[in-house]
Amino acid sequence: MPGADDAIDVTEIDELTPPNRTLMGPGPSDVHPRVLRAMSTPLVGHLDPSFVEIMDEVQELLRYTYRTDNQWTIPVSGTGSAAMEAAIGNVVEPGDTMLVPTNGYFGGRMASMARRAGGEVVEVDAPWGEPLEPADVSDALSKHDPDVFGFVHAETSTGVLQPSVPELTAAAHDHDALVIADTVTSIGGVELRVDDWDIDVAYAGPQKCLSCPPGASPLTLSDEAMEKVLSRDEDPRSWYLDLSLLEGYWGDERAYHHTAPITNVYAIREALRLVAEEGIEERWNRHERVAGALKAGVKEMGLEMNAPDEYWLPSLNAVRVPGGIDDGEVCSALLERYDLEIASGLGDLDGEIFRIGCMGHSARPANVIYVVTALGDVLESMGADVDPGAGVTATRRALEE
């Protein structure tokens, strides 16, 4: 490697030409061409009057997509993990107790962030690959009396969609706990109603069902949650993600706090415009239809879904790896032969599932036919007991219906 005083031959660094993949993993998803075009438009300053107008539009579009009237609805400058840390790091104060789930990888990340914020973490137990039971949540709330309850609406690591959300939030509010929802893999892809379901705080990433590059990540807080943030006795541990400071930039004042990622804000604005043009409920229905065809194909091929139908997550399909097959080799072969990305499992499901996304611009009939065809071919070539032709036929018929 060259050192600081060494010359670099720039001719050895080629023009950027990343491979043209079909992205059907757990994220990112394929980006809509209109979003890419929006990112190529000229920069303006982050306090320019024209950009302030764009900020207003993004906030209004986010409210529509989240189904909320929350005034405090913004794109956090950073990836989805930044929005997650902004939510937990501001709402959880030192000495607070946060109740978190054990049924997936991202419940564990909630716990880690709550501890870093100075909170005490308690758990409501559920096996990996199963949703939380309202009765178990109610029992845990009674036992621990937490200040904050967190749950994952769409668990990317297991392919499970949490049902009965209003029951969970009602139980939490009966114990005066604020509710934080991880909606990273649900926003814009499956039914999500922040206000009707009484969710206090929801965070997400843009790169999944919104089909937008990471960099400006959705976050919404109710008046009650924001009141807790603004009345803290101690400043949050992150200056950059301090919502009491960001309120000055994204609120009525529009005062300088940091230089926003202008191009990423352009991108999420266009991605959210696409959501509004399609209609949020039609977008939810499209994901269910197209992912349903994917599910029909993999099942008819001879594979098993990880989640039962009653809590199947259309935007992230967890498919069991056949016996005797190395999941990593399959993922590598799909990249090499087909320029197709899917992913292996995480945590307790490492090596046991494939994670196949069906999100946003990637949730198209041609893509699910392609992934079923390619996956069947690779698995058959590795000796798996599958019927690729039956899988493709089932997918096509489901799409025709």
Side-chain angles (χ1 to χ4, degrees):
M1 294 292 290
D5 296 326
D6 295 324
I8 295 178
D9 182 358
V10 295
T11 62
E12 294 182 359
I13 302 176
D14 295 332
E15 181 181 354
L16 181 64
T17 54
N20 188 13
R21 310 286 200 199
T22 299
L23 300 178
M24 297 293 287
S29 61
D30 288 342
V31 176
H32 196 285
R34 276 174 47 182
V35 175
L36 294 174
R37 285 198 296 271
M39 296 181 74
S40 69
T41 55
L43 287 183
V44 296
H46 58 286
L47 294 173
D48 188 293
S50 67
F51 189 68
V52 170
E53 184 177 340
I54 290 169
M55 293 167 73
D56 291 337
E57 292 167 345
V58 169
Q59 289 181 280
E60 195 58 37
L61 287 163
L62 271 177
R63 292 185 187 103
Y64 170 78
T65 305
Y66 260 137
R67 314 309 294 137
T68 184
D69 292 325
N70 287 343
Q71 177 183 356
W72 232 89
T73 303
I74 69 167
V76 174
S77 298
T79 65
S81 294
M84 182 182 193
E85 191 146 29
I88 295 172
N90 281 271
V91 174
V92 176
E93 301 180 64
D96 279 355
T97 299
M98 182 173 180
L99 179 66
V100 302
T102 63
N103 62 337
Y105 183 88
F106 291 97
R109 184 170 292 183
M110 278 187 166
S112 177
M113 289 188 180
R115 291 189 183 100
R116 286 171 179 259
E120 177 186 349
V121 171
V122 293
E123 296 176 337
V124 53
D125 291 324
W128 271 58
E130 295 185 16
L132 297 177
E133 291 292 340
D136 293 339
V137 172
S138 184
D139 289 346
L141 289 162
S142 297
K143 179 179 179 181
H144 300 293
D145 194 28
D147 302 281
V148 181
F149 164 56
F151 75 96
V152 180
H153 183 220
E155 179 51 79
T156 317
S157 64
T158 63
V160 167
L161 179 66
Q162 176 63 50
S164 310
V165 171
E167 292 183 53
L168 303 186
T169 60
H173 292 146
D174 284 345
H175 290 268
D176 296 322
L178 291 174
V179 178
I180 299 179
D182 180 318
T183 63
V184 169
T185 310
S186 56
I187 188 173
V190 298
E191 184 178 12
L192 171 62
R193 302 181 185 272
V194 166
D195 285 1
D196 288 351
W197 295 353
D198 254 353
I199 296 169
D200 295 293
V201 183
Y203 60 83
Q207 75 276 12
K208 296 182 186 276
C209 297
L210 298 182
S211 283
C212 179
S217 299
L219 175 66
T220 187
L221 294 91
S222 67
D223 289 344
E224 293 79 8
M226 200 61 190
E227 182 180 350
K228 186 177 193 298
V229 170
L230 296 176
S231 62
R232 290 174 59 113
D233 293 328
E234 184 178 312
D235 289 339
R237 296 183 178 181
S238 171
W239 177 90
Y240 181 66
L241 298 175
D242 184 342
L243 295 180
S244 69
L245 300 178
L246 288 173
E247 195 271 341
Y249 182 50
W250 283 99
D252 294 336
E253 189 178 354
R254 300 300 194 201
Y256 170 70
H257 173 261
H258 70 285
T259 302
I262 310 298
T263 298
N264 291 100
V265 176
Y266 292 171
I268 197 169
R269 176 185 180 275
E270 190 62 21
L272 293 169
R273 276 200 342 122
L274 287 162
V275 173
E277 286 178 13
E278 184 174 7
I280 189 64
E281 295 195 4
E282 174 52 34
R283 193 177 182 91
W284 296 337
N285 292 336
R286 170 170 61 87
H287 279 79
E288 186 171 8
R289 287 194 307 271
V290 177
L294 170 65
K295 180 170 70 167
V298 296
K299 290 174 72 172
E300 192 64 27
M301 187 194 305
L303 304 178
E304 296 180 14
M305 301 295 291
N306 188 56
D309 288 347
E310 57 266 33
Y311 40 88
W312 160 63
L313 174 58
S315 50
L316 195 286
N317 296 268
V319 179
R320 304 293 301 182
V321 177
I325 298 297
D326 184 292
D327 58 313
E329 290 183 5
V330 172
C331 293
S332 295
L334 288 170
L335 274 181
E336 292 167 7
R337 297 185 201 175
Y338 290 98
D339 276 323
L340 172 65
E341 179 180 278
I342 69 170
S344 301
L346 288 174
D348 288 2
L349 293 177
D350 182 22
E352 296 186 15
I353 62 171
F354 299 117
R355 292 184 297 148
I356 305 175
C358 194
M359 305 176 185
H361 191 52
S362 290
R364 291 176 284 157
N367 279 18
V368 296
I369 289 283
Y370 188 53
V371 74
V372 171
T373 301
L375 180 61
D377 174 57
V378 168
L379 287 173
E380 186 178 51
S381 72
M382 292 182 175
D385 183 15
V386 293
D387 186 340
V392 173
T393 298
T395 304
R396 177 175 50 78
R397 287 177 176 168
L399 289 169
E400 290 171 352
E401 292 171 2

Short mmCIF file of all heavy atoms in Angstrom, two decimals, residues 13-68:
data_model
loop_
_atom_site.label_atom_id
_atom_site.label_comp_id
_atom_site.label_asym_id
_atom_site.label_seq_id
_atom_site.Cartn_x
_atom_site.Cartn_y
_atom_site.Cartn_z
N ILE A 13 -6.52 3.44 -11.11
CA ILE A 13 -7.85 3.48 -10.49
C ILE A 13 -8.85 3.77 -11.60
O ILE A 13 -8.95 4.90 -12.10
CB ILE A 13 -7.93 4.55 -9.39
CG1 ILE A 13 -6.86 4.28 -8.32
CG2 ILE A 13 -9.32 4.57 -8.76
CD1 ILE A 13 -6.79 5.35 -7.24
N ASP A 14 -9.60 2.75 -11.98
CA ASP A 14 -10.51 2.87 -13.12
C ASP A 14 -11.74 3.69 -12.76
O ASP A 14 -12.07 3.93 -11.59
CB ASP A 14 -10.95 1.48 -13.58
CG ASP A 14 -9.79 0.66 -14.12
OD1 ASP A 14 -8.83 1.27 -14.63
OD2 ASP A 14 -9.85 -0.59 -14.02
N GLU A 15 -12.45 4.07 -13.80
CA GLU A 15 -13.76 4.69 -13.61
C GLU A 15 -14.66 3.73 -12.83
O GLU A 15 -14.57 2.51 -13.00
CB GLU A 15 -14.39 5.00 -14.97
CG GLU A 15 -15.75 5.68 -14.89
CD GLU A 15 -16.34 5.94 -16.26
OE1 GLU A 15 -15.64 5.70 -17.27
OE2 GLU A 15 -17.51 6.37 -16.30
N LEU A 16 -15.51 4.29 -11.97
CA LEU A 16 -16.38 3.47 -11.12
C LEU A 16 -17.39 2.71 -11.98
O LEU A 16 -18.21 3.32 -12.68
CB LEU A 16 -17.10 4.36 -10.12
CG LEU A 16 -18.03 3.64 -9.13
CD1 LEU A 16 -17.24 2.71 -8.21
CD2 LEU A 16 -18.80 4.67 -8.30
N THR A 17 -17.33 1.39 -11.92
CA THR A 17 -18.28 0.55 -12.67
C THR A 17 -18.71 -0.63 -11.80
O THR A 17 -18.29 -1.77 -12.01
CB THR A 17 -17.65 0.02 -13.97
OG1 THR A 17 -16.42 -0.66 -13.65
CG2 THR A 17 -17.38 1.14 -14.96
N PRO A 18 -19.54 -0.37 -10.78
CA PRO A 18 -20.02 -1.48 -9.95
C PRO A 18 -20.87 -2.44 -10.77
O PRO A 18 -21.45 -2.05 -11.80
CB PRO A 18 -20.86 -0.78 -8.87
CG PRO A 18 -21.27 0.51 -9.49
CD PRO A 18 -20.14 0.91 -10.39
N PRO A 19 -20.95 -3.71 -10.37
CA PRO A 19 -21.76 -4.67 -11.12
C PRO A 19 -23.23 -4.29 -11.07
O PRO A 19 -23.70 -3.66 -10.12
CB PRO A 19 -21.49 -5.99 -10.39
CG PRO A 19 -21.04 -5.60 -9.03
CD PRO A 19 -20.30 -4.30 -9.20
N ASN A 20 -23.96 -4.68 -12.09
CA ASN A 20 -25.39 -4.40 -12.18
C ASN A 20 -26.15 -5.59 -11.60
O ASN A 20 -26.50 -6.52 -12.30
CB ASN A 20 -25.79 -4.14 -13.64
CG ASN A 20 -27.22 -3.66 -13.77
OD1 ASN A 20 -27.84 -3.29 -12.78
ND2 ASN A 20 -27.73 -3.68 -14.97
N ARG A 21 -26.39 -5.55 -10.30
CA ARG A 21 -27.04 -6.66 -9.60
C ARG A 21 -28.56 -6.50 -9.58
O ARG A 21 -29.08 -5.38 -9.64
CB ARG A 21 -26.58 -6.73 -8.14
CG ARG A 21 -25.09 -6.71 -7.92
CD ARG A 21 -24.40 -8.00 -8.28
NE ARG A 21 -23.10 -8.10 -7.63
CZ ARG A 21 -22.13 -8.91 -8.03
NH1 ARG A 21 -22.30 -9.69 -9.08
NH2 ARG A 21 -20.98 -8.96 -7.39
N THR A 22 -29.25 -7.62 -9.45
CA THR A 22 -30.66 -7.61 -9.07
C THR A 22 -30.70 -7.86 -7.58
O THR A 22 -30.26 -8.92 -7.10
CB THR A 22 -31.45 -8.71 -9.83
OG1 THR A 22 -31.37 -8.45 -11.23
CG2 THR A 22 -32.91 -8.71 -9.39
N LEU A 23 -31.20 -6.87 -6.83
CA LEU A 23 -31.09 -6.91 -5.37
C LEU A 23 -32.38 -7.48 -4.77
O LEU A 23 -33.40 -6.81 -4.67
CB LEU A 23 -30.83 -5.50 -4.84
CG LEU A 23 -29.54 -4.85 -5.34
CD1 LEU A 23 -29.39 -3.43 -4.80
CD2 LEU A 23 -28.33 -5.69 -4.95
N MET A 24 -32.29 -8.75 -4.35
CA MET A 24 -33.43 -9.44 -3.74
C MET A 24 -33.04 -9.99 -2.37
O MET A 24 -33.55 -11.03 -1.94
CB MET A 24 -33.90 -10.56 -4.66
CG MET A 24 -34.42 -10.09 -6.01
SD MET A 24 -35.96 -9.13 -5.92
CE MET A 24 -37.15 -10.43 -5.56
N GLY A 25 -32.13 -9.30 -1.70
CA GLY A 25 -31.76 -9.67 -0.34
C GLY A 25 -32.54 -8.86 0.67
O GLY A 25 -33.58 -8.26 0.37
N PRO A 26 -32.04 -8.77 1.90
CA PRO A 26 -32.74 -8.04 2.96
C PRO A 26 -32.52 -6.53 2.90
O PRO A 26 -32.90 -5.82 3.84
CB PRO A 26 -32.15 -8.65 4.24
CG PRO A 26 -30.79 -9.09 3.84
CD PRO A 26 -30.90 -9.55 2.42
N GLY A 27 -31.94 -6.04 1.86
CA GLY A 27 -31.69 -4.61 1.69
C GLY A 27 -30.20 -4.39 1.46
O GLY A 27 -29.38 -5.10 2.05
N PRO A 28 -29.87 -3.42 0.59
CA PRO A 28 -30.79 -2.53 -0.11
C PRO A 28 -31.55 -3.23 -1.22
O PRO A 28 -31.19 -4.33 -1.65
CB PRO A 28 -29.86 -1.46 -0.68
CG PRO A 28 -28.57 -2.19 -0.91
CD PRO A 28 -28.46 -3.16 0.23
N SER A 29 -32.64 -2.57 -1.67
CA SER A 29 -33.40 -3.05 -2.81
C SER A 29 -33.01 -2.23 -4.03
O SER A 29 -32.29 -1.24 -3.94
CB SER A 29 -34.90 -2.93 -2.53
OG SER A 29 -35.26 -1.57 -2.31
N ASP A 30 -33.51 -2.66 -5.19
CA ASP A 30 -33.26 -1.90 -6.42
C ASP A 30 -33.82 -0.48 -6.27
O ASP A 30 -34.93 -0.30 -5.76
CB ASP A 30 -33.93 -2.58 -7.62
CG ASP A 30 -33.24 -3.87 -8.03
OD1 ASP A 30 -32.08 -4.08 -7.63
OD2 ASP A 30 -33.87 -4.67 -8.75
N VAL A 31 -33.06 0.50 -6.72
CA VAL A 31 -33.49 1.90 -6.64
C VAL A 31 -34.23 2.29 -7.91
O VAL A 31 -33.77 1.99 -9.01
CB VAL A 31 -32.28 2.83 -6.40
CG1 VAL A 31 -32.70 4.29 -6.40
CG2 VAL A 31 -31.60 2.46 -5.08
N HIS A 32 -35.35 2.95 -7.75
CA HIS A 32 -36.14 3.36 -8.91
C HIS A 32 -35.34 4.38 -9.74
O HIS A 32 -34.67 5.26 -9.18
CB HIS A 32 -37.45 3.99 -8.45
CG HIS A 32 -38.49 4.11 -9.52
ND1 HIS A 32 -38.42 5.07 -10.51
CD2 HIS A 32 -39.61 3.39 -9.77
CE1 HIS A 32 -39.46 4.93 -11.32
NE2 HIS A 32 -40.20 3.92 -10.89
N PRO A 33 -35.39 4.30 -11.08
CA PRO A 33 -34.65 5.26 -11.91
C PRO A 33 -34.97 6.72 -11.60
O PRO A 33 -34.09 7.58 -11.70
CB PRO A 33 -35.07 4.88 -13.33
CG PRO A 33 -35.45 3.44 -13.25
CD PRO A 33 -36.05 3.25 -11.89
N ARG A 34 -36.20 7.01 -11.22
CA ARG A 34 -36.54 8.39 -10.89
C ARG A 34 -35.79 8.88 -9.65
O ARG A 34 -35.44 10.06 -9.55
CB ARG A 34 -38.05 8.53 -10.68
CG ARG A 34 -38.81 8.72 -11.99
CD ARG A 34 -40.30 8.71 -11.81
NE ARG A 34 -40.78 9.55 -10.71
CZ ARG A 34 -42.07 9.63 -10.38
NH1 ARG A 34 -42.99 8.93 -11.03
NH2 ARG A 34 -42.45 10.41 -9.38
N VAL A 35 -35.55 7.99 -8.71
CA VAL A 35 -34.79 8.36 -7.53
C VAL A 35 -33.33 8.64 -7.90
O VAL A 35 -32.73 9.61 -7.43
CB VAL A 35 -34.89 7.26 -6.45
CG1 VAL A 35 -34.00 7.58 -5.25
CG2 VAL A 35 -36.34 7.09 -6.00
N LEU A 36 -32.76 7.80 -8.77
CA LEU A 36 -31.39 8.03 -9.22
C LEU A 36 -31.27 9.35 -9.97
O LEU A 36 -30.29 10.09 -9.81
CB LEU A 36 -30.94 6.87 -10.12
CG LEU A 36 -30.79 5.51 -9.43
CD1 LEU A 36 -30.47 4.44 -10.46
CD2 LEU A 36 -29.71 5.54 -8.35
N ARG A 37 -32.28 9.68 -10.78
CA ARG A 37 -32.24 10.96 -11.49
C ARG A 37 -32.32 12.13 -10.52
O ARG A 37 -31.63 13.15 -10.70
CB ARG A 37 -33.39 11.03 -12.50
CG ARG A 37 -33.17 10.19 -13.75
CD ARG A 37 -34.09 10.62 -14.88
NE ARG A 37 -35.50 10.41 -14.56
CZ ARG A 37 -36.17 9.29 -14.80
NH1 ARG A 37 -35.55 8.26 -15.35
NH2 ARG A 37 -37.44 9.21 -14.51
N ALA A 38 -33.14 12.00 -9.49
CA ALA A 38 -33.25 13.08 -8.50
C ALA A 38 -31.91 13.33 -7.83
O ALA A 38 -31.55 14.49 -7.53
CB ALA A 38 -34.31 12.73 -7.45
N MET A 39 -31.13 12.28 -7.63
CA MET A 39 -29.83 12.42 -6.98
C MET A 39 -28.80 13.11 -7.87
O MET A 39 -27.77 13.57 -7.37
CB MET A 39 -29.32 11.05 -6.54
CG MET A 39 -30.18 10.39 -5.49
SD MET A 39 -29.54 8.79 -4.97
CE MET A 39 -28.15 9.29 -3.95
N SER A 40 -29.06 13.18 -9.15
CA SER A 40 -28.10 13.80 -10.07
C SER A 40 -28.40 15.28 -10.31
O SER A 40 -27.70 15.93 -11.09
CB SER A 40 -28.10 13.06 -11.41
OG SER A 40 -29.32 13.27 -12.10
N THR A 41 -29.42 15.83 -9.64
CA THR A 41 -29.77 17.24 -9.83
C THR A 41 -28.84 18.14 -9.01
O THR A 41 -28.18 17.68 -8.08
CB THR A 41 -31.24 17.47 -9.46
OG1 THR A 41 -31.47 17.01 -8.12
CG2 THR A 41 -32.17 16.73 -10.40
N PRO A 42 -28.79 19.43 -9.31
CA PRO A 42 -27.78 20.30 -8.67
C PRO A 42 -27.98 20.44 -7.16
O PRO A 42 -29.11 20.43 -6.65
CB PRO A 42 -28.02 21.66 -9.36
CG PRO A 42 -28.65 21.32 -10.66
CD PRO A 42 -29.50 20.12 -10.40
N LEU A 43 -26.86 20.59 -6.48
CA LEU A 43 -26.90 20.85 -5.05
C LEU A 43 -27.31 22.30 -4.78
O LEU A 43 -27.00 23.20 -5.55
CB LEU A 43 -25.53 20.63 -4.41
CG LEU A 43 -25.04 19.19 -4.25
CD1 LEU A 43 -23.70 19.21 -3.52
CD2 LEU A 43 -26.04 18.35 -3.47
N VAL A 44 -28.00 22.48 -3.65
CA VAL A 44 -28.21 23.81 -3.08
C VAL A 44 -27.73 23.76 -1.64
O VAL A 44 -27.41 22.69 -1.11
CB VAL A 44 -29.70 24.24 -3.16
CG1 VAL A 44 -30.16 24.37 -4.59
CG2 VAL A 44 -30.59 23.25 -2.39
N GLY A 45 -27.69 24.89 -0.99
CA GLY A 45 -27.28 24.90 0.41
C GLY A 45 -28.36 24.31 1.32
O GLY A 45 -29.54 24.31 1.00
N HIS A 46 -27.91 23.83 2.46
CA HIS A 46 -28.85 23.17 3.37
C HIS A 46 -29.76 24.16 4.10
O HIS A 46 -30.68 23.74 4.81
CB HIS A 46 -28.09 22.32 4.39
CG HIS A 46 -27.10 23.09 5.20
ND1 HIS A 46 -25.90 23.54 4.69
CD2 HIS A 46 -27.14 23.50 6.49
CE1 HIS A 46 -25.25 24.20 5.62
NE2 HIS A 46 -25.98 24.19 6.72
N LEU A 47 -29.53 25.47 3.94
CA LEU A 47 -30.43 26.49 4.47
C LEU A 47 -31.01 27.36 3.34
O LEU A 47 -31.67 28.37 3.61
CB LEU A 47 -29.70 27.38 5.49
CG LEU A 47 -29.27 26.67 6.77
CD1 LEU A 47 -28.41 27.59 7.62
CD2 LEU A 47 -30.47 26.20 7.58
N ASP A 48 -30.78 26.96 2.12
CA ASP A 48 -31.33 27.66 0.96
C ASP A 48 -32.86 27.64 1.06
O ASP A 48 -33.45 26.61 1.41
CB ASP A 48 -30.87 26.96 -0.31
CG ASP A 48 -31.23 27.72 -1.58
OD1 ASP A 48 -32.44 27.82 -1.88
OD2 ASP A 48 -30.31 28.19 -2.26
N PRO A 49 -33.54 28.74 0.72
CA PRO A 49 -35.02 28.73 0.78
C PRO A 49 -35.65 27.60 -0.03
O PRO A 49 -36.66 27.03 0.39
CB PRO A 49 -35.39 30.10 0.22
CG PRO A 49 -34.21 30.96 0.51
CD PRO A 49 -33.01 30.07 0.39
N SER A 50 -35.02 27.25 -1.15
CA SER A 50 -35.57 26.16 -1.95
C SER A 50 -35.44 24.83 -1.23
O SER A 50 -36.31 23.95 -1.34
CB SER A 50 -34.88 26.09 -3.31
OG SER A 50 -33.52 25.72 -3.17
N PHE A 51 -34.34 24.65 -0.47
CA PHE A 51 -34.17 23.40 0.26
C PHE A 51 -35.11 23.35 1.46
O PHE A 51 -35.61 22.27 1.81
CB PHE A 51 -32.72 23.23 0.72
CG PHE A 51 -32.45 21.85 1.28
CD1 PHE A 51 -32.48 20.74 0.45
CD2 PHE A 51 -32.17 21.67 2.63
CE1 PHE A 51 -32.25 19.47 0.96
CE2 PHE A 51 -31.93 20.40 3.14
CZ PHE A 51 -31.98 19.29 2.30
N VAL A 52 -35.36 24.48 2.09
CA VAL A 52 -36.33 24.52 3.19
C VAL A 52 -37.70 24.05 2.69
O VAL A 52 -38.42 23.31 3.36
CB VAL A 52 -36.41 25.93 3.79
CG1 VAL A 52 -37.59 26.05 4.76
CG2 VAL A 52 -35.10 26.26 4.51
N GLU A 53 -38.06 24.45 1.48
CA GLU A 53 -39.32 23.99 0.89
C GLU A 53 -39.29 22.49 0.67
O GLU A 53 -40.29 21.79 0.91
CB GLU A 53 -39.56 24.73 -0.43
CG GLU A 53 -40.89 24.40 -1.09
CD GLU A 53 -41.12 25.20 -2.35
OE1 GLU A 53 -40.47 26.25 -2.52
OE2 GLU A 53 -41.94 24.77 -3.18
N ILE A 54 -38.16 21.97 0.22
CA ILE A 54 -38.02 20.52 0.04
C ILE A 54 -38.15 19.80 1.37
O ILE A 54 -38.78 18.73 1.46
CB ILE A 54 -36.66 20.21 -0.64
CG1 ILE A 54 -36.68 20.69 -2.09
CG2 ILE A 54 -36.32 18.72 -0.56
CD1 ILE A 54 -35.33 20.68 -2.77
N MET A 55 -37.56 20.35 2.42
CA MET A 55 -37.68 19.76 3.75
C MET A 55 -39.15 19.64 4.15
O MET A 55 -39.59 18.60 4.67
CB MET A 55 -36.92 20.59 4.77
CG MET A 55 -35.41 20.58 4.59
SD MET A 55 -34.57 21.87 5.56
CE MET A 55 -34.71 21.20 7.22
N ASP A 56 -39.92 20.70 3.92
CA ASP A 56 -41.35 20.67 4.24
C ASP A 56 -42.06 19.55 3.48
O ASP A 56 -42.89 18.82 4.04
CB ASP A 56 -42.01 22.01 3.89
CG ASP A 56 -41.56 23.15 4.80
OD1 ASP A 56 -41.11 22.87 5.92
OD2 ASP A 56 -41.67 24.32 4.36
N GLU A 57 -41.72 19.43 2.20
CA GLU A 57 -42.37 18.41 1.37
C GLU A 57 -42.02 17.00 1.83
O GLU A 57 -42.89 16.11 1.89
CB GLU A 57 -41.95 18.60 -0.10
CG GLU A 57 -42.49 19.87 -0.72
CD GLU A 57 -41.83 20.22 -2.04
OE1 GLU A 57 -40.75 19.64 -2.36
OE2 GLU A 57 -42.40 21.06 -2.76
N VAL A 58 -40.75 16.78 2.19
CA VAL A 58 -40.34 15.46 2.67
C VAL A 58 -41.09 15.11 3.96
O VAL A 58 -41.57 13.97 4.13
CB VAL A 58 -38.82 15.42 2.89
CG1 VAL A 58 -38.41 14.15 3.64
CG2 VAL A 58 -38.09 15.48 1.56
N GLN A 59 -41.22 16.06 4.86
CA GLN A 59 -41.92 15.79 6.11
C GLN A 59 -43.37 15.44 5.86
O GLN A 59 -43.92 14.51 6.48
CB GLN A 59 -41.80 17.00 7.04
CG GLN A 59 -40.39 17.17 7.60
CD GLN A 59 -40.29 18.36 8.53
OE1 GLN A 59 -40.19 19.50 8.08
NE2 GLN A 59 -40.34 18.10 9.83
N GLU A 60 -44.02 16.15 4.94
CA GLU A 60 -45.42 15.86 4.65
C GLU A 60 -45.58 14.48 4.00
O GLU A 60 -46.50 13.72 4.32
CB GLU A 60 -46.00 16.95 3.74
CG GLU A 60 -47.52 16.95 3.66
CD GLU A 60 -48.18 17.12 5.03
OE1 GLU A 60 -47.66 17.88 5.88
OE2 GLU A 60 -49.23 16.46 5.25
N LEU A 61 -44.67 14.14 3.09
CA LEU A 61 -44.71 12.83 2.45
C LEU A 61 -44.43 11.71 3.44
O LEU A 61 -45.03 10.62 3.36
CB LEU A 61 -43.70 12.79 1.30
CG LEU A 61 -44.08 13.59 0.05
CD1 LEU A 61 -42.85 13.81 -0.83
CD2 LEU A 61 -45.18 12.90 -0.73
N LEU A 62 -43.54 11.95 4.39
CA LEU A 62 -43.28 10.95 5.43
C LEU A 62 -44.51 10.73 6.31
O LEU A 62 -44.81 9.59 6.69
CB LEU A 62 -42.09 11.37 6.30
CG LEU A 62 -40.70 10.96 5.85
CD1 LEU A 62 -39.65 11.52 6.80
CD2 LEU A 62 -40.58 9.43 5.78
N ARG A 63 -45.20 11.81 6.63
CA ARG A 63 -46.42 11.66 7.43
C ARG A 63 -47.44 10.79 6.70
O ARG A 63 -48.09 9.92 7.30
CB ARG A 63 -47.01 13.04 7.75
CG ARG A 63 -46.17 13.87 8.70
CD ARG A 63 -46.85 15.19 9.09
NE ARG A 63 -45.93 16.01 9.87
CZ ARG A 63 -45.28 17.07 9.39
NH1 ARG A 63 -45.48 17.47 8.13
NH2 ARG A 63 -44.45 17.75 10.16
N TYR A 64 -47.57 11.03 5.40
CA TYR A 64 -48.49 10.21 4.60
C TYR A 64 -48.08 8.73 4.65
O TYR A 64 -48.92 7.84 4.86
CB TYR A 64 -48.51 10.70 3.15
CG TYR A 64 -49.25 9.76 2.22
CD1 TYR A 64 -50.64 9.75 2.19
CD2 TYR A 64 -48.55 8.87 1.39
CE1 TYR A 64 -51.33 8.86 1.36
CE2 TYR A 64 -49.23 8.00 0.57
CZ TYR A 64 -50.62 8.00 0.55
OH TYR A 64 -51.30 7.11 -0.27
N THR A 65 -46.81 8.46 4.45
CA THR A 65 -46.33 7.09 4.38
C THR A 65 -46.43 6.38 5.72
O THR A 65 -46.75 5.19 5.78
CB THR A 65 -44.88 7.07 3.85
OG1 THR A 65 -44.84 7.76 2.61
CG2 THR A 65 -44.37 5.66 3.67
N TYR A 66 -46.18 7.10 6.79
CA TYR A 66 -46.28 6.54 8.14
C TYR A 66 -47.72 6.50 8.65
O TYR A 66 -47.98 5.94 9.70
CB TYR A 66 -45.45 7.37 9.13
CG TYR A 66 -44.10 6.77 9.47
CD1 TYR A 66 -42.97 7.58 9.54
CD2 TYR A 66 -43.95 5.42 9.77
CE1 TYR A 66 -41.72 7.05 9.90
CE2 TYR A 66 -42.72 4.88 10.12
CZ TYR A 66 -41.62 5.71 10.18
OH TYR A 66 -40.40 5.18 10.54
N ARG A 67 -48.66 7.14 7.92
CA ARG A 67 -50.05 7.27 8.36
C ARG A 67 -50.10 7.94 9.74
O ARG A 67 -50.59 7.39 10.72
CB ARG A 67 -50.78 5.92 8.38
CG ARG A 67 -50.61 5.04 7.16
CD ARG A 67 -50.87 5.76 5.84
NE ARG A 67 -52.25 6.18 5.67
CZ ARG A 67 -52.63 7.36 5.19
NH1 ARG A 67 -51.72 8.26 4.83
NH2 ARG A 67 -53.89 7.67 5.07
N THR A 68 -49.54 9.14 9.80
CA THR A 68 -49.48 9.87 11.06
C THR A 68 -49.66 11.36 10.81
O THR A 68 -49.36 11.86 9.72
CB THR A 68 -48.13 9.65 11.78
OG1 THR A 68 -48.17 10.31 13.05
CG2 THR A 68 -46.95 10.18 10.98
#
